[in-house]
Amino acid sequence: MLLASLLLRHQAEFGPVLPVDLNGPAVTRLDLTDNNPLVCNADLRDTPAFEQIVNAMLAAQGASIGVGGYLENRVIYRRSQHFGPGQVEEARSLHLGVDVWLPAGTPVLAPLPARVHSLADNADFGDYGITVILEHELEGVAFYSLYGHLSRLEWALLRVSQQLEKGQPFASVGPYPENGDWPPHLHFQLIADMGGRVGDFPGVARPSERELWAALCPDPNLVLQCRQL
């Protein structure tokens, strides 16, 4: 857990990832596990219907922004074969990032000085869609932050190795279907070691591998610092 300890020491230095107050009254935590009948019993392959469910969950809490998901064992990935059929092999359902559900077009900011590590359009249904991975350094230690479900607009202007300042907008939350065909939200994930991967990294793991992936991808709330998480 070296990266988690490093991030904890530097928490005061992080800027926001989104230009919203994640500790404000408009924010609520969303449950996307099989404990929530709204998602458990719905056909989530229909993205507009899925978006209506998200909006209904927010409205029920008097909120406009939803947060949650780190190490949450979610039912929602059954909507896509991308995460495995769950028949012969164990399906992936353990979420490794934090999702912030909010309107498409919301800017995404670099929380620290960064270099653009890699870019990709992970276009499978239910995947990240437009993706940016940034590389950061603290105390001589390199680590990475991943941003999924973005808009193509700003993404098309980014270049690998481009330098970003802390607080600089570099992307925005994308609409479906270009965001992997999800209701609009940002997937934010921290990664200790890319393992040679470029433009992509697992954001959902098999529950039986929880310990392995939790060590590699520490809690994104170390950066977000949202009291709802």
Side-chain angles (χ1 to χ4, degrees), residues 1-11 138-139 141 143:
M1 299 302 289
L2 175 63
L3 179 55
S5 299
L6 177 68
L7 296 172
L8 192 60
R9 289 198 298 273
H10 289 269
Q11 272 193 316
L138 289 171
E139 299 181 19
V141 176
F143 65 98

Side-chain angles (χ1 to χ4, degrees), residues 11-89:
Q11 272 193 316
E13 302 170 27
F14 301 140
V17 171
L18 294 157
V20 298
D21 181 5
L22 292 181
N23 290 309
V27 179
T28 191
R29 186 162 185 162
L30 297 186
D31 177 4
L32 299 179
T33 71
D34 59 8
N35 292 322
N36 183 347
L38 282 178
V39 294
C40 191
N41 299 324
D43 180 2
L44 300 178
R45 293 170 295 180
D46 182 339
T47 304
F50 189 178
E51 183 177 28
Q52 290 181 0
I53 290 171
V54 171
N55 290 337
M57 289 191 290
L58 293 174
Q61 299 296 323
S64 57
I65 299 171
V67 295
Y70 181 61
L71 299 184
E72 185 175 72
N73 192 1
R74 291 174 156 184
V75 69
I76 61 173
Y77 299 116
R78 297 176 192 171
R79 72 192 297 257
S80 171
Q81 288 295 306
H82 178 71
F83 302 101
Q87 297 173 355
V88 177
E89 294 185 354

Side-chain angles (χ1 to χ4, degrees), residues 47 104-105 120-131 148-156 172-182:
T47 304
D121 181 0
N122 296 297
D124 286 350
F125 176 73
D127 203 346
Y128 289 131
I130 304 299
T131 310
H149 313 302
L150 303 174
S151 168
R152 191 177 302 278
L153 185 64
E154 297 87 358
W155 175 84
S172 64
V173 175
Y176 57 83
E178 69 188 60
N179 70 350
D181 222 326
W182 289 90

Side-chain angles (χ1 to χ4, degrees), residues 13-20 22 108-112 166-168 223-224:
E13 302 170 27
F14 301 140
V17 171
L18 294 157
V20 298
L22 292 181
V108 180
L109 318 176
L112 287 170
K166 173 183 171 180
Q168 181 176 340
V223 172
L224 296 175

Side-chain angles (χ1 to χ4, degrees), residues 84-96:
Q87 297 173 355
V88 177
E89 294 185 354
E90 181 186 8
R92 295 187 294 133
S93 59
L94 188 74
H95 193 242
L96 302 176

